[in-house]
Amino acid sequence: MAAVIPMHRTCSGYRLAMAPSPGSSTAQGVARVLAWRRLLFTLTAAVPCGLLLSIPSSAPTAVVVGRSMLVGLAAMLAFGLFEQWPVRLPGWLARWVLQLIAIVIAVPLGALFAYWLTTGGDPQLGQNQLRLNGYLMLTFLGVLVAPWTALAAMVRQRDALARNQALAFELERSELARQALDARMRLLQAQVQPHFLFNTLANIQALVDTGSPQASKVLQSLVAYLRAAVPRLDESETTLGQELQLVRAYLELMHMRMPDRLQFSLQADAQALHLRCPPMTLLTLVENSVRHGIDPSEQGGRIEVSVQVHENRCHVRVSDTGVGLQRAGDSLGTGLSTLRERLQLFFGGDARLHLSAREPHGACAELAFPAQPGKT
């Protein structure tokens, strides 16, 4: 006697039910009307209504319950039929109104069919007052219960649609935000690449201009180094182990250029080698120390790189004994400013870059970010 439509699990499924597209197949529509959950609920709800009607009835309880089930199925079919057809409705007619009208019409027709079926095709409602009373009571209870059940189902559908739409919009917003971050990261990466390459080529030019016999050897090392480094510039992320390999190759290259003025050391915890980070994180810090610390100093200096993991955070320290911040300038510069923004985007704001002076001279760059395993 009661008709209901189950909540659809997706927004698209609800839209197909409420406003089906012309391409929806008849088989799919019938399957949706006769969904097993809908059938189960309708028959389950019809049983207590039939038991209630059997109390004053002289007919067997099974017959009364069967009539109630037939009325419930009729209401369910009317609800499901006009839930999908016609595909287009006039602007002044809401679909839910059409469904309720169809249910109100289907209930007495379904009750008449139930009596016709259970009386051998001769209900004799005009001659048998008891049957007429039973028919009227069945129709009254059906008209009373079925529309309200249908309205409750529609409310549940709309609530499910609202929740699913909110979820879909949130997923879409998250995806757009992720795409925006990726685009910003690539833009910053594009700024870093020429900055690094131009600085390295400037070092080679200095050797050529001075006629150094090391120029050819350094150039060969540079070519081998760039073959390994440049392909990684376009990667979205790397590991500290790979970064340390590039840093070592870079410092060895710079040591060939100024063997008497540059010394360096690299130290890293074993568990730090597989942690993820943006490409050229360490290389930017080291290149900054060479360019702004060691290179301007007549005596040169030493660069020390330390990578440690403590309490689920990675701590990177790049220090040098070059000219220091006062002569190099207090601003971070293009490389470090870009690195700071890249780190904030990469780790969602949970990264810190700090630049400080060393005594008696030199600078120290300290970096801290979450210890997250990289891609294997």
Side-chain angles (χ1 to χ4, degrees):
M1 180 169 300
V4 71
I5 177 172
M7 287 189 300
H8 293 282
R9 300 301 180 187
T10 63
C11 293
S12 59
Y14 182 84
R15 285 195 295 269
L16 284 172
M18 296 302 294
S21 63
S24 298
S25 67
T26 303
Q28 291 176 337
V30 173
R32 197 178 299 112
V33 171
L34 300 177
W36 69 268
R37 290 185 178 180
R38 183 177 299 188
L39 282 170
L40 180 61
F41 181 87
T42 301
L43 296 177
T44 302
V47 170
C49 294
L51 293 176
L52 180 64
L53 291 172
S54 67
I55 297 176
S57 177
S58 59
T61 301
V63 173
V64 178
V65 172
R67 292 170 179 170
S68 179
M69 288 182 174
L70 289 173
V71 172
L73 289 175
M76 184 198 74
L77 291 175
F79 183 94
L81 179 65
F82 291 97
E83 180 185 29
Q84 303 176 65
W85 297 286
V87 175
R88 296 184 181 276
L89 293 176
W92 52 267
L93 179 59
R95 187 169 295 275
W96 68 270
V97 174
L98 179 62
Q99 288 177 275
L100 292 182
I101 295 174
I103 290 173
V104 172
I105 296 174
V107 167
L109 294 178
L112 183 61
F113 175 76
Y115 268 84
W116 177 84
L117 188 64
T118 57
T119 58
D122 187 18
Q124 297 181 351
L125 297 181
Q127 295 79 25
N128 192 323
Q129 187 64 37
L130 291 178
R131 288 185 180 179
L132 179 60
N133 292 339
Y135 168 79
L136 293 176
M137 292 178 61
L138 179 59
T139 301
F140 174 78
L141 187 60
V143 172
L144 181 65
V145 173
W148 287 106
T149 305
L151 283 174
M154 294 176 190
V155 171
R156 291 183 61 196
Q157 285 178 326
R158 293 184 182 276
D159 290 343
L161 173 63
R163 289 193 299 269
N164 290 332
Q165 282 184 335
L167 179 60
F169 292 153
E170 180 63 23
L171 291 176
E172 184 177 2
R173 188 190 66 80
S174 299
E175 178 63 19
L176 291 175
R178 186 193 64 79
Q179 293 177 1
L181 288 178
D182 289 345
R184 180 59 178 166
M185 284 287 290
R186 292 186 179 278
L187 176 62
L188 294 173
Q189 191 76 2
Q191 295 175 0
V192 171
Q193 293 173 13
H195 179 75
F196 160 71
L197 293 176
F198 292 158
N199 290 342
T200 306
L201 291 174
N203 292 329
I204 303 300
Q205 182 181 2
L207 290 176
V208 175
D209 291 343
T210 58
S212 172
Q214 294 285 336
S216 177
K217 188 176 181 179
V218 171
L219 186 58
Q220 292 177 1
S221 299
L222 173 64
V223 171
Y225 167 68
L226 291 180
R227 283 177 178 172
V230 171
R232 296 180 181 177
L233 296 179
D234 289 327
E235 295 179 355
S236 59
E237 69 174 65
T238 186
T239 63
L240 287 173
Q242 294 173 329
E243 281 287 295
L244 286 168
Q245 293 176 4
L246 291 178
V247 166
R248 181 179 295 277
Y250 173 78
L251 287 175
E252 290 176 349
L253 182 64
M254 293 299 101
H255 180 70
M256 294 178 63
R257 175 197 161 201
M258 40 185 175
D260 299 330
R261 296 197 303 122
L262 174 62
Q263 294 80 39
F264 65 89
S265 67
L266 303 176
Q267 295 180 347
D269 293 345
Q271 61 266 37
L273 299 180
H274 302 289
L275 300 181
R276 62 193 290 265
C277 66
M280 300 184 67
T281 297
L282 293 185
L283 199 58
T284 300
L285 297 177
V286 172
E287 190 267 346
N288 188 76
S289 291
V290 171
R291 185 184 184 195
H292 298 292
I294 305 301
D295 226 6
S297 174
E298 296 180 0
Q299 296 80 21
R302 179 179 178 85
I303 295 178
E304 296 179 348
V305 179
S306 172
V307 182
Q308 297 179 337
V309 178
H310 180 63
E311 295 182 352
N312 294 324
R313 290 187 70 81
C314 183
H315 300 271
V316 176
R317 188 173 186 268
V318 177
S319 61
D320 67 75
T321 58
V323 297
L325 294 179
Q326 185 174 3
R327 289 182 57 186
D330 295 333
S331 63
L332 289 179
T334 302
L336 294 184
S337 297
T338 302
L339 175 60
R340 171 175 285 177
E341 186 170 357
R342 289 169 58 219
L343 288 168
Q344 295 299 316
L345 293 175
F346 191 84
F347 292 106
D350 191 14
R352 181 179 61 86
L353 175 61
H354 178 68
L355 193 63
S356 60
R358 290 186 62 183
E359 296 296 337
H361 54 81
C364 178
E366 295 177 287
L367 176 62
F369 52 83
Q372 302 173 352
K375 298 178 181 179
T376 56

